Amino acid sequence: MTPKYDSEESQGTERIRRAHSDRKRKKQMLHRERYSATTPTSPSKGGAFEEISKVGIAAKILRTEGASFIAETKLGEEQRVRSIKSTVTSNPNSTLVAVGDDVIIEPGDADIGVIREVKPRRTKLSRRAHTRRTSFEQIIAANIDLVAIVTSAADPPFRTGIIDKYIVAALEGGLEILIILNKSDELEQNDRAAFIEYALEYYQVIGYPHLVTAATNNVGIAELRDAIANKTIVFAGKSGVGKSSLVNALVGEEITRTQGLMRHAKRGMHTTTNAWMIPLADHTYIVDTPGVKEFFHFELEPDQIRFLFTEFDHLRDKCQMTNCLHIHEPGCAVIEAVEEELIPEWRYNSYLAFWEEAERERKSRIGGM
């Protein structure tokens, strides 16, 4: 016969188990009711946001604020959220949460929710995080349509090298490309004005259009607004070229903090510390990014660089060697085109620099250095 105290103890344990199950069941019911109240009844037809998940609310990351993020739901409401250890991502070996990411969030009770899931990125502008020992992809902005590479007509000086870096990154990320020459009112005083105009025309010929703007004088802003309509666009470029001033001109009010150049150093101060997304009318979004001093591409393969230079395409079949890398091979049609000035030497030098960078990274990954 079972002792009386054993029976009472087992009954107490059973009551605790049932009470715990009841609390868990009620919590799950409240959880479902909360999300059913915020979930639209009609399915999504695409656009900036994905479908509402069964376990949370679909949202898009607009900006970072300290250790948290500001997300916009499909209903246009903003919610402060944070990532947690259990946040699931479909984008391994890269920034966990980036501006532009489509996420599933769970609103919190203390004015801050959590990010449950980061959806796969459709497109991206990224670079290699050079401060880490291991290879890691730093996402500047995700799920964008077009990258506007902003350059300056005077100060900081116009550099084709940084333009080419962003072109390669944009092609790798599946983005359209627009080159913007800002501060055009300073072009006449620049002794390199003829070269700048020639370089922009060359980019136009090989498929990368350009606009000429002067944000402080509202020059070219209407044309820029038309070019980015109904798209999500990221402004990219070195510090001091006027990205934030262009954003202010497009929005029509000063919503970003701008500063002049550090005269003693002749370089731009970092006026935007984090990328952030600004909604405009007609489904247009602008992503303003920090100026970068250095830009390292993420895991480019040396033998793939040649396919990212569009002017090489029609010459590839004319090379004597199969799979010519256009480095030092005899009978290379690309090298001949450079010698005949059909391809500018500065553009070919960019190709060589990218190939060398990719080759160093390849050797580093396999332990060859």
Side-chain angles (χ1 to χ4, degrees):
M1 180 180 296
T2 304
K4 182 178 180 181
Y5 64 84
D6 285 347
S7 177
E8 291 177 350
E9 183 177 352
S10 62
Q11 291 176 3
T13 302
E14 178 65 18
R15 285 195 298 270
I16 293 173
R17 188 189 66 78
R18 289 180 179 177
H20 177 73
S21 298
D22 290 341
R23 285 195 300 269
K24 186 176 181 180
R25 186 166 53 255
K26 290 178 181 179
K27 185 176 180 180
Q28 291 174 343
M29 291 175 63
L30 289 173
H31 184 80
R32 287 193 296 269
E33 290 173 358
R34 176 170 53 172
Y35 288 119
S36 63
T38 58
T39 302
T41 56
S42 59
S44 170
K45 297 182 180 179
F49 303 98
E50 295 189 1
E51 295 281 354
I52 298 296
S53 170
K54 294 181 180 180
V55 295
I57 300 174
K60 181 175 285 291
I61 300 297
L62 296 184
R63 60 186 182 272
T64 60
E65 290 188 358
S68 61
F69 306 87
I70 301 300
E72 183 185 46
T73 70
K74 195 174 182 181
L75 301 178
E77 300 173 345
E78 291 190 1
Q79 167 75 51
R80 183 180 297 275
V81 292
R82 60 185 177 88
S83 60
I84 55 178
K85 288 184 177 180
S86 60
T87 298
V88 177
T89 179
S90 301
N91 312 285
N93 197 32
S94 66
T95 306
L96 178 60
V97 183
V99 169
D101 271 336
D102 291 318
V103 296
I104 301 299
I105 66 172
E106 179 181 341
D109 297 329
D111 297 328
I112 184 167
V114 296
I115 301 172
R116 291 297 180 187
E117 181 182 358
V118 182
K119 294 294 186 177
R121 292 168 180 137
R122 175 175 53 87
T123 61
K124 61 189 176 182
L125 178 65
S126 68
R127 64 176 179 173
R128 176 170 57 85
H130 64 282
T131 57
R132 294 174 63 110
R133 293 183 179 180
T134 57
S135 182
F136 183 82
E137 186 176 23
Q138 181 182 1
I139 305 298
I140 298 173
N143 299 317
I144 48 184
D145 302 308
L146 182 148
V147 57
I149 306 169
V150 185
T151 64
S152 170
D155 201 2
F158 180 88
R159 292 284 185 265
T160 57
I162 190 65
I163 295 175
D164 291 335
K165 278 181 174 286
Y166 278 114
I167 287 176
V168 169
L171 294 175
E172 282 284 280
L175 305 173
E176 300 175 39
I177 296 166
L178 174 67
I179 300 172
I180 298 177
L181 180 70
N182 196 29
K183 303 183 181 180
S184 60
D185 51 329
E186 302 176 4
L187 184 60
E188 293 182 358
Q189 291 76 36
N190 193 331
D191 55 5
R192 300 179 69 235
F195 171 76
I196 293 173
E197 292 174 352
Y198 160 68
L200 291 175
E201 287 302 319
Y202 180 79
Y203 284 124
Q204 184 95 24
V205 169
I206 63 175
Y208 309 127
H210 71 273
L211 288 175
V212 177
T213 63
T216 54
N217 299 330
N218 215 38
V219 174
I221 300 303
E223 293 81 357
L224 178 57
R225 186 176 288 110
D226 291 340
I228 67 174
N230 301 312
K231 295 181 179 180
T232 299
I233 173 177
V234 57
F235 282 105
K238 292 182 69 67
S239 300
V241 295
K243 299 187 301 295
S244 295
S245 296
L246 286 172
V247 172
N248 290 333
L250 287 167
V251 175
E253 58 180 318
E254 189 166 347
I255 60 173
T256 57
R257 181 172 58 90
T258 59
Q259 289 179 297
L261 294 176
M262 297 172 61
R263 294 184 179 179
H264 67 281
K266 292 294 181 183
R267 54 188 170 85
M269 297 183 68
H270 290 258
T271 56
T272 303
T273 56
N274 293 298
W276 62 311
M277 181 176 287
I278 305 161
L280 298 183
D282 301 324
H283 306 290
T284 301
Y285 288 80
I286 298 175
V287 180
D288 190 19
T289 65
V292 295
K293 296 179 182 178
E294 295 179 298
F295 193 96
F296 301 86
H297 293 103
F298 178 72
E299 290 192 352
L300 289 179
E301 294 297 333
D303 60 350
Q304 297 299 312
I305 302 294
R306 53 190 165 152
F307 300 111
L308 300 176
F309 280 70
T310 184
E311 60 266 55
F312 294 1
D313 292 347
H314 72 286
L315 298 170
R316 192 171 298 118
D317 293 336
K318 299 179 181 180
C319 293
Q320 291 183 7
M321 297 186 63
T322 304
N323 295 325
C324 180
L325 293 176
H326 318 308
I327 304 295
H328 47 62
E329 296 85 350
C332 174
V334 171
I335 295 177
E336 291 176 0
V338 175
E339 293 172 349
E340 296 172 5
E341 299 183 353
L342 299 176
I343 295 177
E345 186 175 359
W346 51 266
R347 177 73 173 163
Y348 180 66
N349 287 338
S350 287
Y351 168 72
L352 294 179
F354 296 151
W355 188 89
E356 292 171 357
E357 176 189 334
E359 181 66 8
R360 286 194 302 270
E361 285 301 306
R362 183 189 67 83
K363 290 181 179 179
S364 178
R365 289 198 299 271
I366 65 177
M369 293 184 64

